[in-house]
Amino acid sequence: MNNTTTVHSRAWYGDEELALNFPMDWEVEMLGPKDAPPLSDAQIEQSFAEPIGTERIAQLAKGKKSAAIIVDDLSRPTPAAKIIPFLLRELSNAGVPKLGIQFVVGGGSHRPLTQEEIAKKVGANIATEYQITNHNFMGGDLRGYGSLDNGMPIYINNVVADAEFKICLGGIYPHGAVGFGGGQS
């Protein structure tokens, strides 16, 4: 019996196969996620046209002069570059001017993304056409917004705070230390 299995590693940095060898007396079974297939462009467009439980983004953003789009960093596999063109079309249809749209990489406590990494996340053309900043939770450029009921202070990135319309584009993924992304109770 061969107790070697192969897993994919390095996602955004050139997906590579990594062989894992286990002791011969171990019973090893590879269990992969049962994920849905990726959406086609037509399916993404349909999703923007018929959102569940809310109006279209083009309607929600109507009359706004600025928008902040927060994307997750490369530690999350969200295919932001595939979705962003549809999102930008919605904002354009709402009348949000291109110069009023900024992106913020919400990397939590991770290091800032390099320009090359930003281009991977949002797409090379978006990276050159729009202002994109890395959120720096230690940068001192956060705006206080009061406190939660339990006294925990709330601080928001200035770019996001200044935008009239705010959109978060990301996924919910398992996190080894705190469960699923998006916080914990």
Side-chain angles (χ1 to χ4, degrees):
M1 172 150 83
N2 184 357
N3 261 5
T4 300
T5 190
T6 303
V7 296
H8 291 277
S9 176
R10 297 180 43 87
W12 293 95
Y13 300 95
D15 215 0
E16 294 178 358
E17 290 187 352
L18 176 65
L20 302 176
N21 299 305
F22 298 96
M24 293 306 288
D25 59 337
W26 286 19
E27 186 176 323
V28 177
E29 184 177 351
M30 187 75 163
L31 301 173
K34 292 188 182 316
D35 203 355
L39 296 178
S40 68
D41 285 354
Q43 290 170 313
I44 294 170
E45 190 156 12
Q46 182 72 22
S47 296
F48 274 98
E50 298 176 7
I52 298 170
T54 187
E55 296 180 61
R56 290 183 74 125
I57 290 172
Q59 186 62 36
L60 295 170
K62 197 168 214 60
K64 307 294 187 207
K65 300 293 180 223
S66 62
I69 302 171
I70 302 98
V71 296
D72 49 14
D73 67 8
L74 292 183
S75 70
R76 306 290 188 264
T78 307
K82 184 170 174 78
I83 299 166
I84 287 171
F86 298 96
L87 182 54
L88 291 173
R89 185 174 335 146
E90 287 287 308
L91 293 174
S92 175
N93 289 342
V96 179
K98 181 176 179 176
L99 290 176
I101 300 170
Q102 294 186 59
F103 288 82
V104 176
V105 177
S109 60
H110 298 164
R111 68 163 175 77
L113 296 186
T114 65
Q115 286 305 117
E116 181 182 329
E117 292 167 335
I118 287 172
K120 285 181 184 179
K121 189 63 181 190
V122 302
N125 58 333
I126 300 300
T128 59
E129 293 179 29
Y130 289 85
Q131 183 176 342
I132 303 172
T133 59
N134 281 289
H135 171 69
N136 179 358
F137 75 102
M138 299 288 283
D141 61 346
L142 305 178
R143 187 165 309 148
Y145 271 85
S147 300
L148 298 175
D149 290 341
N150 66 3
M152 173 79 71
I154 301 170
Y155 294 97
I156 298 179
N157 177 288
N158 277 332
V159 171
V160 176
D162 289 342
E164 289 186 66
F165 193 73
K166 300 149 181 62
I167 301 169
C168 293
L169 173 58
I172 300 173
Y173 303 100
H175 189 287
V178 295
F180 282 84
Q184 63 183 10
S185 55

